């Protein structure tokens, strides 16, 4: 039987994201051409003010107001593609959060205004310091926080606050904090850190959220996706649903390692009846109007 290709946390484009490439039209068409049954498009939310502009956004001369206008265009454009492609492929229109000061209140305002099909809850800042942009930003966060262990602790605390306070349908790249840490396996296994991981997973389970199996880590040279294997095993034992996403940032990365992720989940014994999971999680909100029996391509 042919593998059903899907990606829940996917689809950044250069049209609406400074560190991505290609237009959203090109991204969506590539998903369809590669035979995806459905895909979630989850562009980054704009910052509430100029304090949290990324370096590449500043270099481009953009302001937070510019990015808010761009986000508005993104939602409109993506909704149009959702209608255009409805006979070929289901598209879920979403966005990805931040968790710095003011971000989650602003994210809720965006939800109220745009009513997305789903939201990916992600953490890219610890105590308002971006650790995700590059190695230099990561090391600056380590120094400012007083060491890498402290960075991990704060990351999982902030993530817990995001999970319980905002309750996104999907928790993105759960262990992203390991990004520039070559010794992450040892660190994640430490009892004090694992205690916080267990706490966060329990909250995800209790709130009925989905975990993102983020395959972009493989593209960046990691030997395993986000989630690392011990965390993935815990999610399986807790019966937390996990759905893969390519977190693509251009046509060249659409679908990258998705088959590997699906095979991993199948081999471990996860439920891969995707539509069953989505229906239970009410993604999208008008789930009953979506057809998942389209012919690929």
């Amino acid at each position: 039987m042919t593998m059903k290709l899907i990606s829940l946390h996917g689809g950044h484009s250069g049209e609406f994201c400074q560190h991505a490439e290609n237009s959203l039209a090109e991204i969506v068409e590539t998903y369809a051409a590669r035979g995806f049954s459905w895909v979630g498009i989850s562009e980054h939310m704009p910052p509430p003010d100029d304090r949290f502009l990324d370096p590449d956004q500043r270099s481009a001369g953009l302001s937070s107001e510019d990015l808010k206008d761009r986000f508005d265009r993104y939602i409109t454009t993506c909704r149009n593609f959702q209608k255009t492609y409805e006979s070929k492929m289901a598209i879920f229109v979403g966005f990805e959060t931040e968790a710095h000061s003011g971000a989650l209140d602003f994210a809720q305002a965006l939800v109220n205004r745009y009513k997305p099909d789903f939201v990916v809850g992600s953490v890219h800042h610890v105590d308002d310091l971006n650790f995700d942009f590059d190695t230099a930003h990561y090391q600056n966060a380590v120094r400012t926080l007083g060491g890498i262990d402290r960075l991990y602790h704060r990351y999982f605390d902030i993530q817990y606050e995001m999970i319980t306070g905002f309750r996104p349908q999907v928790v993105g790249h759960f262990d992203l904090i390991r990004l520039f840490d070559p010794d992450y396996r040892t660190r994640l296994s430490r009892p004090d850190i694992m205690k916080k991981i267990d706490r966060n997973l329990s909250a995800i389970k209790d709130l009925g959220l989905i975990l993102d199996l983020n395959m972009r880590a493989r593209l960046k040279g990691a030997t395993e996706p986000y989630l690392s294997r011990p965390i993935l095993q815990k999610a399986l034992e807790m019966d937390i649903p996990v759905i893969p996403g390519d977190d693509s940032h251009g046509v060249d990365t659409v679908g990258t390692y998705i088959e590997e992720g699906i095979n991993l989940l199948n081999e471990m014994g996860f439920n891969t009846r995707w539509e069953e999971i989505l229906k239970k999680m009410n993604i999208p909100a008008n789930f009953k109007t979506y057809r998942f029996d389209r012919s690929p391509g």
Side-chain angles (χ1 to χ4, degrees):
M1 184 175 65
T2 303
M3 180 182 294
K4 180 179 285 189
L5 295 177
I6 56 89
S7 177
L8 184 52
H9 178 20
H12 299 288
S13 72
E15 185 177 357
F16 299 110
C17 173
Q18 216 63 29
H19 58 272
E21 298 177 339
N22 308 116
S23 68
L24 185 58
E26 292 170 315
I27 299 294
V28 170
E29 177 55 34
T30 302
Y31 278 115
R34 294 185 181 175
F36 274 69
S37 298
W38 56 263
V39 63
I41 307 297
S42 48
E43 197 50 85
H44 292 280
M45 66 174 282
D49 58 59
D50 288 353
R51 289 177 298 163
F52 296 105
L53 291 168
D54 286 338
D56 52 2
Q57 294 166 344
R58 293 183 187 278
S59 296
L62 296 171
S63 69
S64 58
E65 291 304 313
D66 294 327
L67 296 179
K68 290 169 187 174
D69 290 341
R70 187 168 77 176
F71 185 82
D72 185 82
R73 294 196 302 275
Y74 155 67
I75 295 291
T76 300
T77 302
C78 203
R79 286 294 185 200
N80 287 337
F81 286 134
Q82 191 175 48
K83 296 175 183 176
T84 302
Y85 281 83
E86 63 182 357
S87 65
K88 297 181 179 179
M89 175 181 69
I91 297 173
F92 304 151
V93 180
F95 70 88
E96 183 176 4
T97 74
E98 300 294 345
H100 52 62
S101 294
L104 295 180
D105 285 343
F106 187 55
Q108 186 59 58
L110 294 174
V111 169
N112 295 342
R113 177 176 178 182
Y114 293 105
K115 297 177 173 54
D117 297 327
F118 74 112
V119 177
V120 177
S122 295
V123 177
H124 303 94
H125 298 73
V126 170
D127 292 348
D128 291 347
L129 298 169
N130 187 309
F131 65 84
D132 174 59
F133 190 77
D134 56 23
T135 306
H137 280 76
Y138 190 90
Q139 293 302 326
N140 178 62
V142 170
R143 288 191 299 271
T144 304
L145 269 291
I148 194 166
D149 289 348
R150 176 64 177 166
L151 181 65
Y152 271 69
H153 278 277
R154 289 294 299 136
Y155 172 83
F156 285 114
D157 284 346
I158 291 167
Q159 184 183 70
Y160 179 75
E161 293 168 4
M162 181 271 295
I163 291 167
T164 58
F166 184 67
R167 302 187 181 188
Q169 290 96 329
V170 182
V171 177
H173 39 54
F174 181 91
D175 52 352
L176 179 66
I177 195 61
R178 71 180 223 219
L179 176 62
F180 296 111
D181 178 15
D183 195 31
Y184 75 86
R185 289 184 177 87
T186 299
R187 214 167 314 281
L188 288 174
S189 67
R190 285 184 43 176
D192 54 334
I193 293 175
M194 187 54 70
K195 182 178 180 180
K196 297 197 173 189
I197 290 172
D198 288 340
R199 174 199 61 190
N200 292 13
L201 291 176
S202 293
I204 290 168
K205 171 64 177 177
D206 292 344
L207 294 170
L209 311 181
I210 295 171
L211 275 170
D212 163 43
L213 182 67
N214 194 294
M215 303 310 296
R216 189 166 175 79
R218 295 283 287 114
L219 186 68
K220 292 186 174 184
T223 58
E224 59 182 344
Y226 311 112
L227 311 147
S228 59
R229 188 59 176 254
I231 299 175
L232 195 55
Q233 183 62 41
K234 284 178 176 288
L236 177 63
E237 293 167 0
M238 297 173 70
D239 195 28
I240 297 172
V242 179
I243 299 183
D246 57 15
D247 200 356
S248 65
H249 282 63
V251 296
D252 290 343
T253 58
V254 165
T256 305
Y257 293 104
I258 279 293
E259 292 186 35
E260 178 182 303
I262 294 172
N263 284 331
L264 173 61
L265 295 176
N266 274 320
E267 289 166 5
M268 291 185 68
F270 278 91
N271 180 8
T272 56
R273 297 185 296 276
W274 313 119
E275 287 77 46
E276 178 182 299
I277 297 171
L278 294 174
K279 184 175 183 180
K280 183 178 179 182
M281 304 299 169
N282 202 34
I283 297 174
N286 55 340
F287 182 92
K288 292 181 180 179
T289 70
Y290 278 74
R291 287 178 49 236
F292 292 96
D293 58 349
R294 300 163 175 79
S295 298

